Amino acid sequence: MAEQQFEAWLRNDGRKGIRNVIAVAYLVECAHHVARRIVDKADDSEVHLIGFPGCYPNHYAFDMMKALCTHPNVGGVVLVSLGCESFNRSALTRAIEASGRPVETFVIQNEGGTAETIRKGLEAVRRIQAVANQTPRGQMDVSELVVATICGGSDGTSGITANPAVGRAFDTLGALGAACIFEETGELVGCEKIMASRAITPELGAELEACVQKAEAYYTVMGFGSFAPGNAEGGLTTQEEKSMGAYSKSGAAPICGILKPGDLPPTGGLYLLDVVPDGEPRFGFPNISDNAEIVELIACGAHVTLFTTGRGSVVGSAISPVIKVCANPETYRKLAADMDIDAGRIMEGRGTLDEVGEEITNLILEVAAGRQTLSEAMGHQEFILTYKAFDPVGPACLPLKQF
């Protein structure tokens, strides 16, 4: 196994990061272009664009932006506001300052317009970068890592190779004290009782079942389902087959709790992220792309995300590295430059689940120590954040947390 300790960035709020990103964040779609041009002109792989496009306030969006701007991989922030949107930029600025990170806020309507705000924002990036680069470094243990997983573009090989191999890696990391997060409750329909049987308390088991039932009801009302035409083209035949394949990413360890976007795992162990909004269905499809789910996982503190795919996906993410685990050997041969792990070799007898699981574990530790993922090296920084609403989790959802 790769080294279980590595150097990290030591944040003033006590957290540790494996990257030192400067986030340039727009607070309404009207400021998106200006923020993007600041990032483009910075021309630095450690300057990332994030943001919320909505003009109307939303607690979920604010909490997500707060979690992302104070993520352990973020060393400083430039906020870009138009000026008349309802996003509470002052509260977000204060939250970032309270975390000990440098932050500067620019209001386009007060700065002289597009060109002048871009100029000032670019200067701010350089100032903040200089401060962030002085952040002390220190040792971080694997037990302090938060690792997440998601599957996208699943096919008939996903539940046979990549997903269970990730489950093996999760079991290894969890045993070492890391926090591991799996999600996609809409793709776990039918698996709720199996998950409940793995819960560390009966009360948590009941909450796990309720999470999946909520997802199924939401999808039914909206007329959607997680089983897509692309899945069928890739050889999946039923919702049950897809659900069991998605479920296999969780491994075999006991489930410690349920998180909602922006919640931090209170201890090491295995957690389910509930991504389906609470209340009456009103937001459309719960996550309109895989990138939206990756953002929610990062908001839960994920240092690294494992993205399994059978059909193939080339995306990465802002803030946290994405490791792509390819389930299908044919897809891997077509997209080898985008795929970090060839789990499809299991199908061809060139490896076992345990061997690929160990390879995934080692790569996570190497990425934590500074190795770039392929999506990082190619500059992928996808990001999307939309409207949602969630109720706070209760004590039954996090039995190990002292409320």
Side-chain angles (χ1 to χ4, degrees):
M1 183 181 292
E3 288 292 328
Q4 295 181 32
Q5 288 195 330
F6 34 86
E7 274 206 330
W9 301 91
L10 307 181
R11 306 300 176 198
N12 287 341
D13 57 8
R15 303 169 78 188
K16 299 178 182 180
I18 65 170
R19 297 292 186 268
N20 199 31
V21 168
I22 305 303
V24 178
Y26 58 91
L27 304 182
V28 65
E29 184 61 25
C30 307
H32 189 162
H33 173 75
V34 170
R36 182 178 296 281
R37 291 298 292 146
I38 292 169
V39 173
D40 289 345
K41 286 179 175 291
D43 193 24
D44 189 317
S45 62
E46 292 303 307
V47 180
H48 292 196
L49 178 70
I50 66 173
F52 174 61
C55 188
Y56 295 94
N58 176 254
H59 289 298
Y60 160 79
F62 181 87
D63 290 345
M64 288 287 288
M65 289 298 290
K66 176 183 174 182
L68 293 163
C69 289
T70 59
H71 187 281
N73 287 354
V74 172
V77 184
V78 174
L79 298 178
V80 185
S81 161
L82 175 62
C84 52
E85 73 276 7
S86 297
F87 196 99
N88 193 335
R89 60 180 177 270
S90 297
L92 182 58
T93 300
R94 290 194 297 271
I96 298 167
E97 289 173 340
S99 77
R101 290 163 176 77
V103 56
E104 294 190 35
T105 303
F106 295 90
V107 179
I108 296 169
Q109 291 168 347
N110 297 336
E111 303 295 345
T114 297
E116 190 65 8
T117 309
I118 293 169
R119 184 187 69 77
K120 292 178 179 178
L122 187 59
E123 291 177 351
V125 166
R126 300 306 185 207
R127 286 192 296 272
I128 289 174
Q129 213 163 28
V131 175
N133 287 340
Q134 299 304 309
T135 303
R137 302 272 276 165
Q139 287 295 300
M140 181 176 181
D141 188 79
V142 61
S143 63
E144 299 173 278
L145 274 177
V146 180
V147 182
T149 188
I150 175 179
C151 53
S154 299
D155 69 5
T157 67
S158 297
I160 300 171
T161 60
N163 289 355
V166 165
R168 299 290 205 281
F170 263 27
D171 289 343
T172 299
L173 292 165
L176 294 171
C180 300
I181 309 172
F182 71 109
E183 46 73 73
E184 296 169 300
T185 45
E187 296 194 359
L188 293 169
V189 174
C191 299
E192 57 268 31
K193 291 193 180 297
I194 307 172
M195 289 194 296
S197 71
R198 294 169 57 193
I200 61 173
T201 66
E203 294 78 12
L204 175 59
E207 294 286 352
L208 287 165
E209 290 193 51
C211 265
V212 179
Q213 290 163 1
K214 177 186 69 169
E216 185 174 19
Y218 200 106
Y219 277 62
T220 299
V221 170
M222 289 296 176
F224 293 117
S226 73
F227 194 89
N231 300 141
E233 291 171 8
L236 284 170
T237 59
T238 64
Q239 175 68 59
E240 290 81 3
E241 185 181 6
K242 185 177 183 185
S243 291
M244 287 302 295
Y247 167 77
S248 66
K249 298 196 307 299
S250 66
I255 298 175
C256 295
I258 297 170
L259 306 172
K260 295 188 181 181
D263 291 337
L264 302 180
T267 67
L270 181 65
Y271 295 84
L272 172 68
L273 175 61
D274 177 7
V275 301
V276 176
D278 291 316
E280 292 297 318
R282 61 189 185 278
F283 291 104
F285 196 69
N287 277 46
I288 61 176
S289 79
D290 295 322
N291 292 101
E293 291 170 295
I294 293 174
V295 167
E296 290 179 331
L297 289 164
I298 294 172
C300 291
H303 293 93
V304 179
T305 299
L306 303 170
F307 189 151
T308 70
T309 183
R311 300 298 303 279
S313 175
V314 300
V315 303
S317 182
I319 298 178
S320 292
V322 171
I323 294 172
K324 289 195 289 297
V325 184
C326 188
N328 189 316
E330 293 182 4
T331 302
Y332 182 82
R333 284 188 277 272
K334 292 176 183 176
L335 297 172
D338 288 279
M339 300 296 156
D340 298 280
I341 300 285
D342 176 17
R345 71 181 192 271
I346 296 167
M347 297 284 292
E348 298 179 335
R350 295 182 287 110
T352 66
L353 282 173
D354 287 337
E355 288 170 348
V356 176
E358 184 176 1
E359 182 183 356
I360 294 169
T361 302
N362 286 333
L363 183 55
I364 290 167
L365 295 174
E366 290 170 9
V367 168
R371 174 177 170 177
Q372 282 194 318
T373 67
L374 292 178
S375 62
E376 277 187 291
M378 288 185 285
H380 280 284
Q381 296 178 8
E382 285 79 5
F383 185 93
I384 185 169
L385 177 60
T386 58
Y387 284 98
K388 282 189 180 182
F390 287 93
D391 299 327
V393 296
C397 293
L398 292 173
L400 297 179
K401 180 178 180 180
Q402 300 297 312
F403 281 85

